[in-house]
């Protein structure tokens, strides 16, 4: 005689009936999961959308913009080979609350109370893949113009992924290139606006983990570009563990985003084809404008010289230091390496240095006693703006 299983529920249910029903439910779920997987496999093995179907969040779902925001970073210059004119100038970018000076202010000592702490580095999920060696976001040649003024407030809104202090890191991959961009500065606010307008979108498309540091020389003594670059190196390392340093004049803009602002196995000269020189190198040893050195390369040459006051000579001294330490210069080709310079008259207190040729001739004797190991300066103010960090310093006067 065949006995029927009593209905589940109540105390009359058999002890194994609940387990049997649970097993049946588990088998049904597994069959459904297998069926979904099989469908995707047979339709081209496109499993990338499977997490969305079964309700599992992916790293890119955490952001409000998703992958589209990564593929088309804010502040994009437009279709390939063209860029719209900058937005009209209505207001300057404001510093974060607690700062009492504007980015258009003259170079002057700032109150010690205006010093701010270093911004937190952008958070990156540990499960993200490494960024590719060559970014897929690059567009190639760009149209660079300096006709319309730039509104920094609007520009900051167009680059929402850039964090306070000018910090950015890719959200969909981990960049091995932790780059501090150092800009020696004094009384060049309009040039800085163009630099920020063009470079932030470029650097984001290059998938760099970067920060922008404007090193402002206080006072009206003779300008010292190389010493400001040394200051930038030291101060940037207080914020973040950068492994690469790009030293850039504020008036130079790359005309091709394939000219990457990162470091290589050898020191990198980036601005190799400037319009000022007919898009060619003025001489083989030229290392001025924009260059990149890894942290170790910079330390190996004891940084840059501190005693070049006024215009000229320091870039040739840097070239000599690299050669004396057995390094060679790497460069992009003349097409990719094109750069435009913002035309301007020579700055006051930056006249040609009459001692530059004598100093260049003695680089080998002075490089170990003039550089990072003898650098002295006083930080007067640190301001964290939405698109850059401005550090005002007193670097002294010519001795």
């Amino acid at each position: 005689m065949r006995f029927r299983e009593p209905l589940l529920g109540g105390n009359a249910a058999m002890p194994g009936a609940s387990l049997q029903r649970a097993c049946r439910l588990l088998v049904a779920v597994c069959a459904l999961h297998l069926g979904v997987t099989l469908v995707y496999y047979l339709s081209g093995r496109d499993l990338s959308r499977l997490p969305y179907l079964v309700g599992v969040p992916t790293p890119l779902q955490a952001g409000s913009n998703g992958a589209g925001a990564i593929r088309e970073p804010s502040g994009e210059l437009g279709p390939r080979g063209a860029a719209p004119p900058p937005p009209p100038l209505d207001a300057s970018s404001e510093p974060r609350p607690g700062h009492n000076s504007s980015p258009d202010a003259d170079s002057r000592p700032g109150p010690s109370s205006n010093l701010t702490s270093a911004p937190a580095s952008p958070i990156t999920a540990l499960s993200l893949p490494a960024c590719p060696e060559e970014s897929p976001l690059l567009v190639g040649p760009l149209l660079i113009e300096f006709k319309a003024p730039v509104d920094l407030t609007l520009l900051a809104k167009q680059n929402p992924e850039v964090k306070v202090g000018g910090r950015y890191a890719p959200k969909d991959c981990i960049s091995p290139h932790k780059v501090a961009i150092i800009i020696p500065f004094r009384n060049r606010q309009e040039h800085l606006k163009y630099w920020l307008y063009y470079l932030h979108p470029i650097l984001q498309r290059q998938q760099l983990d970067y920060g922008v540091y404007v090193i402002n020389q206080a006072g009206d003594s003779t300008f010292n570009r190389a010493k400001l670059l040394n200051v930038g190196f030291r101060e940037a390392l207080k914020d973040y563990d950068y492994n690469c340093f790009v030293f850039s004049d504020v008036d130079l803009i790359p005309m091709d985003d394939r000219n990457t602002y990162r470091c290589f196995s050898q020191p990198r000269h980036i601005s190799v084809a400037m319009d000022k020189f007919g898009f060619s190198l003025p001489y083989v040893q030229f290392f001025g404008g924009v260059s990149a050195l890894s942290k170790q390369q910079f330390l190996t040459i004891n940084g840059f010289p501190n005693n070049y006051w006024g215009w000229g000579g320091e870039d040739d001294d840097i070239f000599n230091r690299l050669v004396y330490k057995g390094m060679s210069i790497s460069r992009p080709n003349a097409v990719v390496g094109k750069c435009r310079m913002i035309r301007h008259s020579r700055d006051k207190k930056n006249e040609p240095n009459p001692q530059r040729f004598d100093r260049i001739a003695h680089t080998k004797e002075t490089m170990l006693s003039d550089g990072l190991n003898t650098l002295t300066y006083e930080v007067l103010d640190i301001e964290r703006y939405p698109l850059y960090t401005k550090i005002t310093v007193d670097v002294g006067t010519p001795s």
Side-chain angles (χ1 to χ4, degrees), residues 74 96 156 159-169 200-201 204 210 212 385-388:
S74 298
R96 293 304 189 206
N159 292 269
E161 301 303 328
V162 177
K163 306 306 179 185
V164 63
R167 289 283 288 112
Y168 171 85
H200 269 303
Q204 290 174 70
Y210 72 87
V212 177
Y385 294 100
L387 297 172
Y388 64 99

PDB file of all heavy atoms in Angstrom, residues 74 96 156 159-169 200-201 204 210 212 385-388:
ATOM      1  N   SER A  74      34.398  65.544 -17.451  1.00  0.00           N
ATOM      2  CA  SER A  74      33.896  66.909 -17.525  1.00  0.00           C
ATOM      3  C   SER A  74      34.993  67.846 -17.975  1.00  0.00           C
ATOM      4  O   SER A  74      36.159  67.662 -17.666  1.00  0.00           O
ATOM      5  CB  SER A  74      33.387  67.336 -16.146  1.00  0.00           C
ATOM      6  OG  SER A  74      32.316  66.509 -15.738  1.00  0.00           O
ATOM      7  N   ARG A  96      38.114  77.471  -0.640  1.00  0.00           N
ATOM      8  CA  ARG A  96      37.174  76.865   0.276  1.00  0.00           C
ATOM      9  C   ARG A  96      36.946  77.777   1.473  1.00  0.00           C
ATOM     10  O   ARG A  96      37.756  78.649   1.769  1.00  0.00           O
ATOM     11  CB  ARG A  96      37.700  75.500   0.753  1.00  0.00           C
ATOM     12  CG  ARG A  96      37.767  74.459  -0.357  1.00  0.00           C
ATOM     13  CD  ARG A  96      36.434  74.279  -1.014  1.00  0.00           C
ATOM     14  NE  ARG A  96      36.440  73.140  -1.926  1.00  0.00           N
ATOM     15  CZ  ARG A  96      35.645  73.037  -2.957  1.00  0.00           C
ATOM     16  NH1 ARG A  96      34.803  73.985  -3.250  1.00  0.00           N
ATOM     17  NH2 ARG A  96      35.675  71.960  -3.712  1.00  0.00           N
ATOM     18  N   ALA A 156      35.405  74.909 -12.706  1.00  0.00           N
ATOM     19  CA  ALA A 156      35.364  73.920 -11.625  1.00  0.00           C
ATOM     20  C   ALA A 156      34.113  73.061 -11.721  1.00  0.00           C
ATOM     21  O   ALA A 156      34.147  71.844 -11.489  1.00  0.00           O
ATOM     22  CB  ALA A 156      35.429  74.624 -10.279  1.00  0.00           C
ATOM     23  N   ASN A 159      34.459  70.355 -14.225  1.00  0.00           N
ATOM     24  CA  ASN A 159      35.406  69.293 -13.845  1.00  0.00           C
ATOM     25  C   ASN A 159      35.069  68.798 -12.442  1.00  0.00           C
ATOM     26  O   ASN A 159      35.876  68.934 -11.515  1.00  0.00           O
ATOM     27  CB  ASN A 159      36.845  69.815 -13.907  1.00  0.00           C
ATOM     28  CG  ASN A 159      37.301  70.104 -15.317  1.00  0.00           C
ATOM     29  OD1 ASN A 159      37.859  69.245 -16.003  1.00  0.00           O
ATOM     30  ND2 ASN A 159      37.068  71.318 -15.785  1.00  0.00           N
ATOM     31  N   PRO A 160      33.899  68.194 -12.245  1.00  0.00           N
ATOM     32  CA  PRO A 160      33.465  67.827 -10.894  1.00  0.00           C
ATOM     33  C   PRO A 160      34.293  66.736 -10.248  1.00  0.00           C
ATOM     34  O   PRO A 160      34.293  66.600  -9.023  1.00  0.00           O
ATOM     35  CB  PRO A 160      32.017  67.361 -11.120  1.00  0.00           C
ATOM     36  CG  PRO A 160      31.992  66.881 -12.540  1.00  0.00           C
ATOM     37  CD  PRO A 160      32.907  67.812 -13.274  1.00  0.00           C
ATOM     38  N   GLU A 161      35.005  65.947 -11.043  1.00  0.00           N
ATOM     39  CA  GLU A 161      35.811  64.871 -10.477  1.00  0.00           C
ATOM     40  C   GLU A 161      37.138  65.379  -9.903  1.00  0.00           C
ATOM     41  O   GLU A 161      37.831  64.644  -9.199  1.00  0.00           O
ATOM     42  CB  GLU A 161      36.083  63.804 -11.538  1.00  0.00           C
ATOM     43  CG  GLU A 161      34.833  63.168 -12.127  1.00  0.00           C
ATOM     44  CD  GLU A 161      33.945  62.528 -11.074  1.00  0.00           C
ATOM     45  OE1 GLU A 161      34.496  62.030 -10.064  1.00  0.00           O
ATOM     46  OE2 GLU A 161      32.724  62.529 -11.241  1.00  0.00           O
ATOM     47  N   VAL A 162      37.502  66.623 -10.217  1.00  0.00           N
ATOM     48  CA  VAL A 162      38.714  67.212  -9.634  1.00  0.00           C
ATOM     49  C   VAL A 162      38.379  67.691  -8.230  1.00  0.00           C
ATOM     50  O   VAL A 162      37.467  68.504  -8.037  1.00  0.00           O
ATOM     51  CB  VAL A 162      39.237  68.381 -10.487  1.00  0.00           C
ATOM     52  CG1 VAL A 162      40.457  69.021  -9.836  1.00  0.00           C
ATOM     53  CG2 VAL A 162      39.580  67.896 -11.895  1.00  0.00           C
ATOM     54  N   LYS A 163      39.098  67.195  -7.249  1.00  0.00           N
ATOM     55  CA  LYS A 163      38.817  67.502  -5.856  1.00  0.00           C
ATOM     56  C   LYS A 163      39.565  68.753  -5.421  1.00  0.00           C
ATOM     57  O   LYS A 163      40.459  69.241  -6.107  1.00  0.00           O
ATOM     58  CB  LYS A 163      39.188  66.313  -4.966  1.00  0.00           C
ATOM     59  CG  LYS A 163      38.542  65.000  -5.402  1.00  0.00           C
ATOM     60  CD  LYS A 163      37.027  65.108  -5.535  1.00  0.00           C
ATOM     61  CE  LYS A 163      36.403  63.800  -5.998  1.00  0.00           C
ATOM     62  NZ  LYS A 163      34.941  63.944  -6.246  1.00  0.00           N
ATOM     63  N   VAL A 164      39.186  69.255  -4.252  1.00  0.00           N
ATOM     64  CA  VAL A 164      39.779  70.482  -3.738  1.00  0.00           C
ATOM     65  C   VAL A 164      41.303  70.361  -3.700  1.00  0.00           C
ATOM     66  O   VAL A 164      41.854  69.321  -3.363  1.00  0.00           O
ATOM     67  CB  VAL A 164      39.220  70.799  -2.337  1.00  0.00           C
ATOM     68  CG1 VAL A 164      39.572  69.716  -1.327  1.00  0.00           C
ATOM     69  CG2 VAL A 164      39.722  72.159  -1.844  1.00  0.00           C
ATOM     70  N   GLY A 165      41.972  71.432  -4.084  1.00  0.00           N
ATOM     71  CA  GLY A 165      43.424  71.410  -4.169  1.00  0.00           C
ATOM     72  C   GLY A 165      43.947  70.958  -5.519  1.00  0.00           C
ATOM     73  O   GLY A 165      45.151  70.868  -5.719  1.00  0.00           O
ATOM     74  N   GLY A 166      43.021  70.646  -6.468  1.00  0.00           N
ATOM     75  CA  GLY A 166      43.461  70.206  -7.790  1.00  0.00           C
ATOM     76  C   GLY A 166      43.857  68.749  -7.862  1.00  0.00           C
ATOM     77  O   GLY A 166      44.690  68.365  -8.681  1.00  0.00           O
ATOM     78  N   ARG A 167      43.223  67.903  -7.009  1.00  0.00           N
ATOM     79  CA  ARG A 167      43.571  66.478  -6.988  1.00  0.00           C
ATOM     80  C   ARG A 167      42.567  65.659  -7.792  1.00  0.00           C
ATOM     81  O   ARG A 167      41.369  65.918  -7.771  1.00  0.00           O
ATOM     82  CB  ARG A 167      43.602  65.970  -5.540  1.00  0.00           C
ATOM     83  CG  ARG A 167      44.771  66.483  -4.744  1.00  0.00           C
ATOM     84  CD  ARG A 167      46.069  65.748  -5.092  1.00  0.00           C
ATOM     85  NE  ARG A 167      46.059  64.390  -4.557  1.00  0.00           N
ATOM     86  CZ  ARG A 167      46.013  63.296  -5.304  1.00  0.00           C
ATOM     87  NH1 ARG A 167      45.988  63.382  -6.614  1.00  0.00           N
ATOM     88  NH2 ARG A 167      45.992  62.112  -4.744  1.00  0.00           N
ATOM     89  N   TYR A 168      43.089  64.659  -8.493  1.00  0.00           N
ATOM     90  CA  TYR A 168      42.238  63.781  -9.293  1.00  0.00           C
ATOM     91  C   TYR A 168      42.879  62.398  -9.372  1.00  0.00           C
ATOM     92  O   TYR A 168      44.108  62.265  -9.426  1.00  0.00           O
ATOM     93  CB  TYR A 168      42.066  64.331 -10.712  1.00  0.00           C
ATOM     94  CG  TYR A 168      41.366  63.369 -11.654  1.00  0.00           C
ATOM     95  CD1 TYR A 168      39.977  63.312 -11.708  1.00  0.00           C
ATOM     96  CD2 TYR A 168      42.099  62.495 -12.460  1.00  0.00           C
ATOM     97  CE1 TYR A 168      39.328  62.416 -12.552  1.00  0.00           C
ATOM     98  CE2 TYR A 168      41.455  61.594 -13.304  1.00  0.00           C
ATOM     99  CZ  TYR A 168      40.074  61.570 -13.346  1.00  0.00           C
ATOM    100  OH  TYR A 168      39.438  60.677 -14.174  1.00  0.00           O
ATOM    101  N   ALA A 169      42.025  61.374  -9.370  1.00  0.00           N
ATOM    102  CA  ALA A 169      42.454  60.002  -9.648  1.00  0.00           C
ATOM    103  C   ALA A 169      41.333  59.316 -10.412  1.00  0.00           C
ATOM    104  O   ALA A 169      40.148  59.574 -10.150  1.00  0.00           O
ATOM    105  CB  ALA A 169      42.771  59.249  -8.358  1.00  0.00           C
ATOM    106  N   HIS A 200      43.417  70.338 -17.202  1.00  0.00           N
ATOM    107  CA  HIS A 200      42.638  69.402 -16.385  1.00  0.00           C
ATOM    108  C   HIS A 200      41.926  68.351 -17.232  1.00  0.00           C
ATOM    109  O   HIS A 200      42.022  67.148 -16.924  1.00  0.00           O
ATOM    110  CB  HIS A 200      41.656  70.160 -15.492  1.00  0.00           C
ATOM    111  CG  HIS A 200      42.214  70.508 -14.142  1.00  0.00           C
ATOM    112  ND1 HIS A 200      42.703  69.554 -13.267  1.00  0.00           N
ATOM    113  CD2 HIS A 200      42.365  71.705 -13.515  1.00  0.00           C
ATOM    114  CE1 HIS A 200      43.126  70.150 -12.160  1.00  0.00           C
ATOM    115  NE2 HIS A 200      42.933  71.446 -12.298  1.00  0.00           N
ATOM    116  N   PRO A 201      41.226  68.715 -18.311  1.00  0.00           N
ATOM    117  CA  PRO A 201      40.619  67.658 -19.142  1.00  0.00           C
ATOM    118  C   PRO A 201      41.652  66.719 -19.761  1.00  0.00           C
ATOM    119  O   PRO A 201      41.436  65.512 -19.850  1.00  0.00           O
ATOM    120  CB  PRO A 201      39.866  68.455 -20.218  1.00  0.00           C
ATOM    121  CG  PRO A 201      39.579  69.775 -19.586  1.00  0.00           C
ATOM    122  CD  PRO A 201      40.776  70.060 -18.733  1.00  0.00           C
ATOM    123  N   GLN A 204      42.995  64.286 -17.088  1.00  0.00           N
ATOM    124  CA  GLN A 204      41.996  63.275 -16.745  1.00  0.00           C
ATOM    125  C   GLN A 204      41.906  62.213 -17.838  1.00  0.00           C
ATOM    126  O   GLN A 204      41.794  61.017 -17.532  1.00  0.00           O
ATOM    127  CB  GLN A 204      40.635  63.948 -16.538  1.00  0.00           C
ATOM    128  CG  GLN A 204      40.578  64.807 -15.275  1.00  0.00           C
ATOM    129  CD  GLN A 204      39.277  65.584 -15.172  1.00  0.00           C
ATOM    130  OE1 GLN A 204      38.215  65.004 -14.944  1.00  0.00           O
ATOM    131  NE2 GLN A 204      39.348  66.893 -15.343  1.00  0.00           N
ATOM    132  N   TYR A 210      46.825  62.636 -10.118  1.00  0.00           N
ATOM    133  CA  TYR A 210      47.653  63.846 -10.122  1.00  0.00           C
ATOM    134  C   TYR A 210      47.157  64.929  -9.174  1.00  0.00           C
ATOM    135  O   TYR A 210      46.004  64.917  -8.714  1.00  0.00           O
ATOM    136  CB  TYR A 210      47.747  64.421 -11.537  1.00  0.00           C
ATOM    137  CG  TYR A 210      46.478  65.067 -12.051  1.00  0.00           C
ATOM    138  CD1 TYR A 210      46.201  66.416 -11.798  1.00  0.00           C
ATOM    139  CD2 TYR A 210      45.563  64.352 -12.823  1.00  0.00           C
ATOM    140  CE1 TYR A 210      45.043  67.013 -12.277  1.00  0.00           C
ATOM    141  CE2 TYR A 210      44.408  64.941 -13.305  1.00  0.00           C
ATOM    142  CZ  TYR A 210      44.147  66.270 -13.033  1.00  0.00           C
ATOM    143  OH  TYR A 210      43.007  66.868 -13.500  1.00  0.00           O
ATOM    144  N   VAL A 212      47.824  69.454  -8.726  1.00  0.00           N
ATOM    145  CA  VAL A 212      48.391  70.659  -9.328  1.00  0.00           C
ATOM    146  C   VAL A 212      48.840  71.608  -8.219  1.00  0.00           C
ATOM    147  O   VAL A 212      48.038  71.977  -7.355  1.00  0.00           O
ATOM    148  CB  VAL A 212      47.358  71.355 -10.239  1.00  0.00           C
ATOM    149  CG1 VAL A 212      47.938  72.654 -10.791  1.00  0.00           C
ATOM    150  CG2 VAL A 212      46.938  70.421 -11.368  1.00  0.00           C
ATOM    151  N   TYR A 385      42.392  75.715  -3.586  1.00  0.00           N
ATOM    152  CA  TYR A 385      41.305  76.113  -4.467  1.00  0.00           C
ATOM    153  C   TYR A 385      40.700  74.874  -5.113  1.00  0.00           C
ATOM    154  O   TYR A 385      41.300  73.787  -5.088  1.00  0.00           O
ATOM    155  CB  TYR A 385      41.810  77.082  -5.527  1.00  0.00           C
ATOM    156  CG  TYR A 385      42.260  78.408  -4.965  1.00  0.00           C
ATOM    157  CD1 TYR A 385      43.615  78.677  -4.761  1.00  0.00           C
ATOM    158  CD2 TYR A 385      41.332  79.389  -4.632  1.00  0.00           C
ATOM    159  CE1 TYR A 385      44.025  79.889  -4.242  1.00  0.00           C
ATOM    160  CE2 TYR A 385      41.740  80.610  -4.110  1.00  0.00           C
ATOM    161  CZ  TYR A 385      43.088  80.851  -3.915  1.00  0.00           C
ATOM    162  OH  TYR A 385      43.497  82.052  -3.390  1.00  0.00           O
ATOM    163  N   PRO A 386      39.521  75.001  -5.734  1.00  0.00           N
ATOM    164  CA  PRO A 386      38.906  73.822  -6.362  1.00  0.00           C
ATOM    165  C   PRO A 386      39.770  73.153  -7.424  1.00  0.00           C
ATOM    166  O   PRO A 386      39.709  71.939  -7.582  1.00  0.00           O
ATOM    167  CB  PRO A 386      37.616  74.391  -6.975  1.00  0.00           C
ATOM    168  CG  PRO A 386      37.270  75.549  -6.106  1.00  0.00           C
ATOM    169  CD  PRO A 386      38.601  76.156  -5.723  1.00  0.00           C
ATOM    170  N   LEU A 387      40.603  73.931  -8.132  1.00  0.00           N
ATOM    171  CA  LEU A 387      41.348  73.370  -9.253  1.00  0.00           C
ATOM    172  C   LEU A 387      42.860  73.320  -9.044  1.00  0.00           C
ATOM    173  O   LEU A 387      43.569  72.796  -9.902  1.00  0.00           O
ATOM    174  CB  LEU A 387      41.041  74.170 -10.529  1.00  0.00           C
ATOM    175  CG  LEU A 387      39.579  74.130 -10.989  1.00  0.00           C
ATOM    176  CD1 LEU A 387      39.350  75.104 -12.144  1.00  0.00           C
ATOM    177  CD2 LEU A 387      39.179  72.719 -11.398  1.00  0.00           C
ATOM    178  N   TYR A 388      43.359  73.846  -7.949  1.00  0.00           N
ATOM    179  CA  TYR A 388      44.804  73.826  -7.715  1.00  0.00           C
ATOM    180  C   TYR A 388      45.107  74.206  -6.272  1.00  0.00           C
ATOM    181  O   TYR A 388      44.260  74.764  -5.560  1.00  0.00           O
ATOM    182  CB  TYR A 388      45.533  74.779  -8.667  1.00  0.00           C
ATOM    183  CG  TYR A 388      45.182  76.248  -8.490  1.00  0.00           C
ATOM    184  CD1 TYR A 388      46.012  77.107  -7.768  1.00  0.00           C
ATOM    185  CD2 TYR A 388      44.040  76.780  -9.061  1.00  0.00           C
ATOM    186  CE1 TYR A 388      45.702  78.456  -7.615  1.00  0.00           C
ATOM    187  CE2 TYR A 388      43.711  78.123  -8.926  1.00  0.00           C
ATOM    188  CZ  TYR A 388      44.548  78.946  -8.200  1.00  0.00           C
ATOM    189  OH  TYR A 388      44.232  80.279  -8.046  1.00  0.00           O
TER     190      TYR A 388
END
